[in-house]
Amino acid sequence: IKQVVTEKTEELFGYSIAVGGKLRFKIFPVAGVYLENVTIAQPENTKGALAKFKSVNVDVDTLALINGDVIVKSLKLDTPVISLIVEKTGKENWVPKKSPQDEIYTSDKKQTSGKSERVRSVSLEDVRINDGTISYHDERSQQQWSAENVNLTVSLDDMNSPLDIQGKLDYNRQTLKFNGTLSSMNSFIQKHKADLE
């Protein structure tokens, strides 16, 4: 099962994933997966992992999923360590080889039943990051920064609705609390205009 998960993740998102601990599934009333000691990287990356997680726990609405709607009931990332790197060539280690939207959100492929595989909508009800660390390093300018004790919650009604983020983190020896709203997640992903408050 781990092999299937890792192969499909790389196929869809362009990242390699390694699961060093437990992996559990559930199907009803919510479809979910729980993974421990997860590492995510670009397959050809030699500068270390993009992200590591103590555990990842995700639950989605099973009935909605059957109808092509992705309703994330809960997504919890425990103790993530995220390393963002811009290499001297300008390559960013967080940019996948291909967009997951190319494979999932806008796919025109048909299943054998004749139904479309296209995801009709995506919503996030309860997304949480607990005790995270985020670092950034630009090898061209040597600019770097890091944020620790990152705790935040994210919610999104659908891809065209505002994305709400709130939480706190430690940066430059100060604790910062924040509330943010991105006007349209879809516009942001498509690299169109999106307002951030």
Side-chain angles (χ1 to χ4, degrees), residues 6 9-11 13-19 38-53 81-83 85 87 91-97:
T6 55
T9 301
E10 185 169 339
E11 177 185 332
F13 298 98
Y15 294 113
S16 64
I17 180 173
V19 181
V38 179
T39 300
I40 298 175
Q42 290 191 348
E44 71 282 3
N45 189 279
T46 60
K47 298 182 181 297
L50 167 62
K52 294 183 179 181
F53 305 89
V81 177
I82 300 172
S83 301
I85 300 174
E87 298 180 9
K91 179 182 177 182
E92 300 162 331
N93 75 329
W94 63 88
V95 177
K97 291 187 297 185

mmCIF file of all heavy atoms in Angstrom, residues 6 9-11 13-19 38-53 81-83 85 87 91-97:
data_model
loop_
_atom_site.group_PDB
_atom_site.id
_atom_site.type_symbol
_atom_site.label_atom_id
_atom_site.label_comp_id
_atom_site.label_asym_id
_atom_site.label_seq_id
_atom_site.Cartn_x
_atom_site.Cartn_y
_atom_site.Cartn_z
ATOM 1 N N THR A 6 3.085 6.148 -2.642
ATOM 2 C CA THR A 6 4.254 6.932 -3.045
ATOM 3 C C THR A 6 4.316 7.093 -4.559
ATOM 4 O O THR A 6 4.619 8.175 -5.066
ATOM 5 C CB THR A 6 5.551 6.276 -2.535
ATOM 6 O OG1 THR A 6 5.612 4.927 -2.996
ATOM 7 C CG2 THR A 6 5.598 6.267 -1.025
ATOM 8 N N THR A 9 1.511 9.569 -5.709
ATOM 9 C CA THR A 9 1.817 10.936 -5.318
ATOM 10 C C THR A 9 2.812 11.561 -6.278
ATOM 11 O O THR A 9 2.642 12.700 -6.738
ATOM 12 C CB THR A 9 2.380 10.981 -3.887
ATOM 13 O OG1 THR A 9 1.421 10.429 -2.988
ATOM 14 C CG2 THR A 9 2.692 12.408 -3.461
ATOM 15 N N GLU A 10 3.864 10.817 -6.608
ATOM 16 C CA GLU A 10 4.863 11.346 -7.533
ATOM 17 C C GLU A 10 4.269 11.530 -8.926
ATOM 18 O O GLU A 10 4.551 12.507 -9.617
ATOM 19 C CB GLU A 10 6.068 10.422 -7.595
ATOM 20 C CG GLU A 10 7.194 10.977 -8.460
ATOM 21 C CD GLU A 10 8.493 10.209 -8.312
ATOM 22 O OE1 GLU A 10 8.643 9.520 -7.283
ATOM 23 O OE2 GLU A 10 9.329 10.297 -9.219
ATOM 24 N N GLU A 11 3.397 10.615 -9.334
ATOM 25 C CA GLU A 11 2.771 10.700 -10.654
ATOM 26 C C GLU A 11 1.887 11.943 -10.761
ATOM 27 O O GLU A 11 1.901 12.646 -11.771
ATOM 28 C CB GLU A 11 1.945 9.441 -10.908
ATOM 29 C CG GLU A 11 1.177 9.445 -12.223
ATOM 30 C CD GLU A 11 0.280 8.232 -12.368
ATOM 31 O OE1 GLU A 11 0.604 7.167 -11.783
ATOM 32 O OE2 GLU A 11 -0.751 8.341 -13.048
ATOM 33 N N PHE A 13 1.687 14.733 -8.483
ATOM 34 C CA PHE A 13 2.187 16.013 -8.002
ATOM 35 C C PHE A 13 3.638 16.311 -8.375
ATOM 36 O O PHE A 13 4.096 17.435 -8.211
ATOM 37 C CB PHE A 13 2.036 16.089 -6.473
ATOM 38 C CG PHE A 13 0.614 16.001 -6.010
ATOM 39 C CD1 PHE A 13 0.093 14.801 -5.574
ATOM 40 C CD2 PHE A 13 -0.204 17.113 -6.018
ATOM 41 C CE1 PHE A 13 -1.215 14.714 -5.144
ATOM 42 C CE2 PHE A 13 -1.512 17.032 -5.590
ATOM 43 C CZ PHE A 13 -2.026 15.831 -5.161
ATOM 44 N N GLY A 14 4.358 15.305 -8.836
ATOM 45 C CA GLY A 14 5.748 15.538 -9.195
ATOM 46 C C GLY A 14 6.691 15.525 -8.014
ATOM 47 O O GLY A 14 7.854 15.885 -8.133
ATOM 48 N N TYR A 15 6.211 15.117 -6.837
ATOM 49 C CA TYR A 15 7.056 15.001 -5.650
ATOM 50 C C TYR A 15 7.208 13.543 -5.273
ATOM 51 O O TYR A 15 6.304 12.736 -5.478
ATOM 52 C CB TYR A 15 6.428 15.730 -4.452
ATOM 53 C CG TYR A 15 6.330 17.216 -4.591
ATOM 54 C CD1 TYR A 15 5.092 17.833 -4.687
ATOM 55 C CD2 TYR A 15 7.463 18.014 -4.602
ATOM 56 C CE1 TYR A 15 4.993 19.216 -4.807
ATOM 57 C CE2 TYR A 15 7.376 19.385 -4.725
ATOM 58 C CZ TYR A 15 6.135 19.984 -4.819
ATOM 59 O OH TYR A 15 6.039 21.334 -4.935
ATOM 60 N N SER A 16 8.339 13.195 -4.685
ATOM 61 C CA SER A 16 8.491 11.861 -4.104
ATOM 62 C C SER A 16 8.080 11.934 -2.638
ATOM 63 O O SER A 16 8.268 12.952 -1.980
ATOM 64 C CB SER A 16 9.936 11.380 -4.232
ATOM 65 O OG SER A 16 10.815 12.209 -3.486
ATOM 66 N N ILE A 17 7.502 10.867 -2.148
ATOM 67 C CA ILE A 17 7.045 10.831 -0.754
ATOM 68 C C ILE A 17 7.522 9.530 -0.127
ATOM 69 O O ILE A 17 7.476 8.475 -0.756
ATOM 70 C CB ILE A 17 5.507 10.958 -0.665
ATOM 71 C CG1 ILE A 17 5.046 10.906 0.802
ATOM 72 C CG2 ILE A 17 4.802 9.898 -1.481
ATOM 73 C CD1 ILE A 17 3.574 11.198 0.991
ATOM 74 N N ALA A 18 8.019 9.628 1.103
ATOM 75 C CA ALA A 18 8.444 8.455 1.846
ATOM 76 C C ALA A 18 7.686 8.414 3.162
ATOM 77 O O ALA A 18 7.560 9.435 3.846
ATOM 78 C CB ALA A 18 9.947 8.497 2.109
ATOM 79 N N VAL A 19 7.159 7.250 3.500
ATOM 80 C CA VAL A 19 6.421 7.059 4.753
ATOM 81 C C VAL A 19 7.222 6.106 5.614
ATOM 82 O O VAL A 19 7.329 4.913 5.319
ATOM 83 C CB VAL A 19 5.003 6.496 4.491
ATOM 84 C CG1 VAL A 19 4.252 6.343 5.803
ATOM 85 C CG2 VAL A 19 4.236 7.392 3.526
ATOM 86 N N VAL A 38 6.571 11.314 7.608
ATOM 87 C CA VAL A 38 6.433 11.526 6.167
ATOM 88 C C VAL A 38 7.494 12.519 5.683
ATOM 89 O O VAL A 38 7.716 13.555 6.302
ATOM 90 C CB VAL A 38 5.027 12.069 5.832
ATOM 91 C CG1 VAL A 38 4.884 12.316 4.334
ATOM 92 C CG2 VAL A 38 3.955 11.102 6.325
ATOM 93 N N THR A 39 8.135 12.193 4.561
ATOM 94 C CA THR A 39 9.114 13.074 3.946
ATOM 95 C C THR A 39 8.703 13.335 2.500
ATOM 96 O O THR A 39 8.386 12.395 1.764
ATOM 97 C CB THR A 39 10.523 12.450 3.954
ATOM 98 O OG1 THR A 39 10.914 12.191 5.308
ATOM 99 C CG2 THR A 39 11.543 13.391 3.322
ATOM 100 N N ILE A 40 8.703 14.617 2.109
ATOM 101 C CA ILE A 40 8.342 15.005 0.746
ATOM 102 C C ILE A 40 9.517 15.742 0.116
ATOM 103 O O ILE A 40 10.106 16.626 0.732
ATOM 104 C CB ILE A 40 7.096 15.906 0.747
ATOM 105 C CG1 ILE A 40 5.893 15.141 1.317
ATOM 106 C CG2 ILE A 40 6.777 16.405 -0.664
ATOM 107 C CD1 ILE A 40 4.645 16.000 1.470
ATOM 108 N N ALA A 41 9.847 15.379 -1.119
ATOM 109 C CA ALA A 41 10.958 16.015 -1.823
ATOM 110 C C ALA A 41 10.714 15.925 -3.317
ATOM 111 O O ALA A 41 9.844 15.181 -3.771
ATOM 112 C CB ALA A 41 12.282 15.353 -1.465
ATOM 113 N N GLN A 42 11.471 16.716 -4.069
ATOM 114 C CA GLN A 42 11.467 16.534 -5.507
ATOM 115 C C GLN A 42 12.413 15.392 -5.835
ATOM 116 O O GLN A 42 13.501 15.294 -5.250
ATOM 117 C CB GLN A 42 11.892 17.814 -6.220
ATOM 118 C CG GLN A 42 10.852 18.918 -6.131
ATOM 119 C CD GLN A 42 11.166 20.082 -7.050
ATOM 120 O OE1 GLN A 42 12.249 20.175 -7.590
ATOM 121 N NE2 GLN A 42 10.200 20.960 -7.218
ATOM 122 N N PRO A 43 12.033 14.498 -6.741
ATOM 123 C CA PRO A 43 12.836 13.297 -6.998
ATOM 124 C C PRO A 43 14.297 13.586 -7.321
ATOM 125 O O PRO A 43 15.182 12.860 -6.896
ATOM 126 C CB PRO A 43 12.114 12.664 -8.201
ATOM 127 C CG PRO A 43 10.720 13.152 -8.098
ATOM 128 C CD PRO A 43 10.798 14.534 -7.532
ATOM 129 N N GLU A 44 14.555 14.678 -8.063
ATOM 130 C CA GLU A 44 15.925 14.966 -8.479
ATOM 131 C C GLU A 44 16.637 15.928 -7.532
ATOM 132 O O GLU A 44 17.778 16.307 -7.779
ATOM 133 C CB GLU A 44 15.934 15.555 -9.899
ATOM 134 C CG GLU A 44 15.384 16.972 -10.007
ATOM 135 C CD GLU A 44 13.867 17.051 -9.989
ATOM 136 O OE1 GLU A 44 13.217 15.999 -9.839
ATOM 137 O OE2 GLU A 44 13.329 18.156 -10.129
ATOM 138 N N ASN A 45 15.956 16.322 -6.431
ATOM 139 C CA ASN A 45 16.535 17.310 -5.532
ATOM 140 C C ASN A 45 17.665 16.701 -4.702
ATOM 141 O O ASN A 45 17.533 15.610 -4.159
ATOM 142 C CB ASN A 45 15.460 17.880 -4.601
ATOM 143 C CG ASN A 45 15.963 19.058 -3.790
ATOM 144 O OD1 ASN A 45 16.617 18.875 -2.780
ATOM 145 N ND2 ASN A 45 15.659 20.253 -4.239
ATOM 146 N N THR A 46 18.781 17.419 -4.600
ATOM 147 C CA THR A 46 19.931 16.925 -3.840
ATOM 148 C C THR A 46 20.200 17.763 -2.592
ATOM 149 O O THR A 46 21.194 17.555 -1.918
ATOM 150 C CB THR A 46 21.191 16.932 -4.729
ATOM 151 O OG1 THR A 46 21.444 18.273 -5.169
ATOM 152 C CG2 THR A 46 21.017 16.014 -5.922
ATOM 153 N N LYS A 47 19.332 18.724 -2.311
ATOM 154 C CA LYS A 47 19.569 19.640 -1.195
ATOM 155 C C LYS A 47 18.700 19.310 0.022
ATOM 156 O O LYS A 47 18.483 20.142 0.880
ATOM 157 C CB LYS A 47 19.314 21.085 -1.651
ATOM 158 C CG LYS A 47 20.254 21.538 -2.767
ATOM 159 C CD LYS A 47 20.007 22.964 -3.161
ATOM 160 C CE LYS A 47 20.930 23.383 -4.281
ATOM 161 N NZ LYS A 47 22.351 23.345 -3.882
ATOM 162 N N GLY A 48 18.206 18.098 0.078
ATOM 163 C CA GLY A 48 17.404 17.710 1.221
ATOM 164 C C GLY A 48 15.923 17.784 0.931
ATOM 165 O O GLY A 48 15.475 18.152 -0.154
ATOM 166 N N ALA A 49 15.123 17.443 1.940
ATOM 167 C CA ALA A 49 13.679 17.354 1.779
ATOM 168 C C ALA A 49 13.027 18.728 1.742
ATOM 169 O O ALA A 49 13.482 19.663 2.394
ATOM 170 C CB ALA A 49 13.088 16.528 2.918
ATOM 171 N N LEU A 50 11.955 18.833 0.979
ATOM 172 C CA LEU A 50 11.126 20.024 0.990
ATOM 173 C C LEU A 50 10.368 20.111 2.306
ATOM 174 O O LEU A 50 10.247 21.182 2.904
ATOM 175 C CB LEU A 50 10.149 20.002 -0.187
ATOM 176 C CG LEU A 50 9.004 21.019 -0.159
ATOM 177 C CD1 LEU A 50 9.553 22.445 -0.190
ATOM 178 C CD2 LEU A 50 8.054 20.778 -1.321
ATOM 179 N N ALA A 51 9.842 18.983 2.781
ATOM 180 C CA ALA A 51 9.056 18.979 4.012
ATOM 181 C C ALA A 51 9.124 17.622 4.702
ATOM 182 O O ALA A 51 9.209 16.582 4.040
ATOM 183 C CB ALA A 51 7.599 19.337 3.712
ATOM 184 N N LYS A 52 9.101 17.685 6.030
ATOM 185 C CA LYS A 52 9.003 16.479 6.836
ATOM 186 C C LYS A 52 7.877 16.683 7.854
ATOM 187 O O LYS A 52 7.686 17.790 8.362
ATOM 188 C CB LYS A 52 10.320 16.195 7.566
ATOM 189 C CG LYS A 52 11.477 15.846 6.645
ATOM 190 C CD LYS A 52 12.732 15.514 7.442
ATOM 191 C CE LYS A 52 13.886 15.131 6.529
ATOM 192 N NZ LYS A 52 15.101 14.780 7.299
ATOM 193 N N PHE A 53 7.133 15.629 8.135
ATOM 194 C CA PHE A 53 6.016 15.694 9.068
ATOM 195 C C PHE A 53 6.100 14.544 10.060
ATOM 196 O O PHE A 53 6.380 13.409 9.666
ATOM 197 C CB PHE A 53 4.673 15.595 8.325
ATOM 198 C CG PHE A 53 4.495 16.605 7.231
ATOM 199 C CD1 PHE A 53 4.909 16.325 5.941
ATOM 200 C CD2 PHE A 53 3.914 17.836 7.487
ATOM 201 C CE1 PHE A 53 4.750 17.251 4.916
ATOM 202 C CE2 PHE A 53 3.745 18.772 6.479
ATOM 203 C CZ PHE A 53 4.170 18.476 5.190
ATOM 204 N N VAL A 81 8.357 20.363 9.223
ATOM 205 C CA VAL A 81 9.581 21.134 9.021
ATOM 206 C C VAL A 81 9.684 21.369 7.514
ATOM 207 O O VAL A 81 9.931 20.437 6.748
ATOM 208 C CB VAL A 81 10.826 20.385 9.532
ATOM 209 C CG1 VAL A 81 12.086 21.197 9.238
ATOM 210 C CG2 VAL A 81 10.704 20.108 11.027
ATOM 211 N N ILE A 82 9.470 22.612 7.093
ATOM 212 C CA ILE A 82 9.397 22.958 5.675
ATOM 213 C C ILE A 82 10.596 23.823 5.313
ATOM 214 O O ILE A 82 10.838 24.854 5.940
ATOM 215 C CB ILE A 82 8.083 23.700 5.365
ATOM 216 C CG1 ILE A 82 6.892 22.797 5.729
ATOM 217 C CG2 ILE A 82 8.026 24.112 3.897
ATOM 218 C CD1 ILE A 82 5.548 23.499 5.654
ATOM 219 N N SER A 83 11.348 23.406 4.301
ATOM 220 C CA SER A 83 12.557 24.119 3.875
ATOM 221 C C SER A 83 12.366 24.612 2.446
ATOM 222 O O SER A 83 12.339 23.809 1.508
ATOM 223 C CB SER A 83 13.778 23.194 3.947
ATOM 224 O OG SER A 83 13.964 22.705 5.266
ATOM 225 N N ILE A 85 13.800 26.605 -0.699
ATOM 226 C CA ILE A 85 15.120 26.957 -1.220
ATOM 227 C C ILE A 85 15.000 27.459 -2.655
ATOM 228 O O ILE A 85 14.329 26.836 -3.484
ATOM 229 C CB ILE A 85 16.071 25.745 -1.189
ATOM 230 C CG1 ILE A 85 16.256 25.243 0.246
ATOM 231 C CG2 ILE A 85 17.423 26.101 -1.799
ATOM 232 C CD1 ILE A 85 17.060 23.951 0.343
ATOM 233 N N GLU A 87 17.494 27.987 -5.624
ATOM 234 C CA GLU A 87 18.861 27.643 -5.992
ATOM 235 C C GLU A 87 19.500 28.775 -6.806
ATOM 236 O O GLU A 87 18.830 29.703 -7.257
ATOM 237 C CB GLU A 87 18.869 26.340 -6.788
ATOM 238 C CG GLU A 87 18.334 25.159 -5.996
ATOM 239 C CD GLU A 87 18.348 23.871 -6.790
ATOM 240 O OE1 GLU A 87 18.935 23.864 -7.900
ATOM 241 O OE2 GLU A 87 17.781 22.873 -6.318
ATOM 242 N N LYS A 91 15.928 28.094 -9.650
ATOM 243 C CA LYS A 91 14.948 27.028 -9.445
ATOM 244 C C LYS A 91 14.451 27.028 -8.006
ATOM 245 O O LYS A 91 15.238 27.126 -7.064
ATOM 246 C CB LYS A 91 15.585 25.675 -9.772
ATOM 247 C CG LYS A 91 14.641 24.502 -9.572
ATOM 248 C CD LYS A 91 15.341 23.192 -9.862
ATOM 249 C CE LYS A 91 14.416 22.019 -9.577
ATOM 250 N NZ LYS A 91 15.089 20.725 -9.798
ATOM 251 N N GLU A 92 13.130 26.922 -7.847
ATOM 252 C CA GLU A 92 12.503 26.907 -6.521
ATOM 253 C C GLU A 92 12.121 25.470 -6.183
ATOM 254 O O GLU A 92 11.428 24.812 -6.956
ATOM 255 C CB GLU A 92 11.270 27.811 -6.521
ATOM 256 C CG GLU A 92 11.618 29.262 -6.864
ATOM 257 C CD GLU A 92 10.401 30.061 -7.304
ATOM 258 O OE1 GLU A 92 9.459 29.446 -7.859
ATOM 259 O OE2 GLU A 92 10.395 31.282 -7.099
ATOM 260 N N ASN A 93 12.550 24.997 -5.021
ATOM 261 C CA ASN A 93 12.356 23.581 -4.711
ATOM 262 C C ASN A 93 10.912 23.223 -4.367
ATOM 263 O O ASN A 93 10.568 22.048 -4.273
ATOM 264 C CB ASN A 93 13.273 23.153 -3.555
ATOM 265 C CG ASN A 93 12.797 23.648 -2.199
ATOM 266 O OD1 ASN A 93 12.180 24.705 -2.073
ATOM 267 N ND2 ASN A 93 13.110 22.900 -1.166
ATOM 268 N N TRP A 94 10.043 24.231 -4.186
ATOM 269 C CA TRP A 94 8.646 23.938 -3.865
ATOM 270 C C TRP A 94 7.757 23.879 -5.106
ATOM 271 O O TRP A 94 6.568 23.551 -5.013
ATOM 272 C CB TRP A 94 8.093 24.967 -2.882
ATOM 273 C CG TRP A 94 8.068 26.370 -3.423
ATOM 274 C CD1 TRP A 94 7.066 26.961 -4.146
ATOM 275 C CD2 TRP A 94 9.086 27.368 -3.265
ATOM 276 N NE1 TRP A 94 7.408 28.257 -4.452
ATOM 277 C CE2 TRP A 94 8.635 28.541 -3.923
ATOM 278 C CE3 TRP A 94 10.334 27.381 -2.640
ATOM 279 C CZ2 TRP A 94 9.396 29.710 -3.961
ATOM 280 C CZ3 TRP A 94 11.084 28.541 -2.690
ATOM 281 C CH2 TRP A 94 10.625 29.685 -3.334
ATOM 282 N N VAL A 95 8.280 24.214 -6.269
ATOM 283 C CA VAL A 95 7.482 24.191 -7.493
ATOM 284 C C VAL A 95 7.521 22.785 -8.089
ATOM 285 O O VAL A 95 8.593 22.285 -8.431
ATOM 286 C CB VAL A 95 8.019 25.209 -8.526
ATOM 287 C CG1 VAL A 95 7.217 25.113 -9.820
ATOM 288 C CG2 VAL A 95 7.941 26.614 -7.950
ATOM 289 N N PRO A 96 6.367 22.109 -8.199
ATOM 290 C CA PRO A 96 6.359 20.746 -8.740
ATOM 291 C C PRO A 96 6.668 20.727 -10.232
ATOM 292 O O PRO A 96 6.572 21.746 -10.916
ATOM 293 C CB PRO A 96 4.932 20.260 -8.465
ATOM 294 C CG PRO A 96 4.117 21.513 -8.451
ATOM 295 C CD PRO A 96 5.014 22.571 -7.857
ATOM 296 N N LYS A 97 7.020 19.547 -10.720
ATOM 297 C CA LYS A 97 7.300 19.406 -12.144
ATOM 298 C C LYS A 97 6.061 19.678 -12.978
ATOM 299 O O LYS A 97 6.132 20.134 -14.101
ATOM 300 C CB LYS A 97 7.817 17.997 -12.436
ATOM 301 C CG LYS A 97 9.189 17.711 -11.866
ATOM 302 C CD LYS A 97 9.710 16.368 -12.322
ATOM 303 C CE LYS A 97 8.825 15.225 -11.820
ATOM 304 N NZ LYS A 97 9.404 13.909 -12.164
#
